[in-house]
């Protein structure tokens, strides 16, 4: 009897431990640690007095682009030459921009009353502070290169 119980108990304990260690993707945002970079399209959230995220307006899933089922005609020699020219220009631009600095914009920290509006693709569109003051973006831009 003990031999049968031991593997089942071990499995049950392992499952409980693994569930406790897993946190859903939104849990950190709900705790007020970080504003989510992306949500459902058109979502509006606001942080309450305890810095908990409250969904004021639930968005909709971002529609996937419909792939055309129409047959694609093969490229003509002229179109192929134009395509190769564009690819070469793309490579030249990429090489020329490698030396330019790259900046990353951090989201501001959540604060009570902060409202975040997401656009039609689910990315942040606007931050609205409770007293409508402007956000100083210089505080949130950091140079990577």
């Amino acid at each position: 009897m003990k031999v049968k119980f031991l593997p089942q108990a071990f499995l049950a304990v392992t499952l409980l431990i693994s569930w406790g260690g897993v946190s859903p993707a939104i849990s950190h945002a709900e705790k007020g640690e970080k504003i989510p970079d992306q949500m459902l399209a058109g979502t509006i959230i606001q942080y309450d007095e305890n810095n908990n995220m409250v969904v004021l307006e639930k968005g909709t899933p971002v529609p996937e682009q419909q792939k055309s089922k129409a047959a694609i005609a093969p490229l003509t020699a002229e179109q192929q030459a134009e395509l190769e020219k564009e690819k070469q220009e793309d490579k030249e631009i990429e090489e020329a921009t490698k030396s330019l600095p790259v900046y990353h914009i951090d989201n501001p920290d959540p604060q009570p009353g902060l409202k975040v509006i997401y656009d039609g693709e689910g990315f942040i569109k606007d931050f609205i502070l409770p007293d409508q003051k402007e956000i100083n973006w210089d505080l949130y831009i950091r140079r990577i290169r």
Side-chain angles (χ1 to χ4, degrees):
M1 188 71 163
K2 286 184 181 181
V3 174
K4 231 180 185 184
F5 176 73
L6 189 59
Q8 291 172 349
F10 178 75
L11 181 62
V13 169
T14 304
L15 281 172
L16 288 174
I17 290 172
S18 67
W19 282 340
V22 174
S23 64
I26 202 163
S27 67
H28 296 292
E30 288 174 347
K31 292 178 185 175
E33 294 175 9
K34 183 178 182 277
I35 296 173
D37 291 328
Q38 191 171 11
M39 296 282 283
L40 294 174
T43 299
I44 299 175
I45 62 172
Q46 187 168 19
Y47 288 88
D48 66 10
E49 63 277 350
N50 296 321
N51 248 9
N52 294 319
M53 184 176 73
V54 177
V55 178
L56 300 178
E57 188 173 318
K58 186 176 179 183
T60 58
V62 178
E64 291 185 29
Q65 300 226 352
Q66 297 293 327
K67 294 183 179 177
S68 175
K69 293 184 180 182
I72 299 173
L75 298 176
T76 63
E78 184 179 305
Q79 291 172 328
Q80 186 67 34
E82 185 66 29
L83 181 62
E84 292 300 323
K85 181 181 173 187
E86 288 177 7
K87 285 182 181 180
Q88 183 59 33
E89 289 173 356
D90 288 347
K91 285 181 186 177
E92 290 171 5
I93 291 171
E94 189 175 312
E95 287 297 319
T97 59
K98 279 188 178 179
S99 63
L100 296 176
V102 176
Y103 295 94
H104 176 75
I105 300 174
D106 291 330
N107 293 335
D109 293 332
Q111 55 184 290
L114 175 67
K115 189 182 285 187
V116 184
I117 301 172
Y118 293 85
D119 66 12
E121 294 180 348
F123 295 104
I124 295 174
K125 177 180 177 182
D126 201 7
F127 293 102
I128 301 173
L129 296 172
D131 54 4
Q132 297 294 324
K133 67 181 177 185
E134 289 288 322
I135 292 178
N136 183 0
W137 286 108
D138 293 335
L139 300 174
Y140 302 103
I141 299 175
R142 61 186 155 102
R143 189 174 179 162
I144 295 176
R145 279 196 232 162

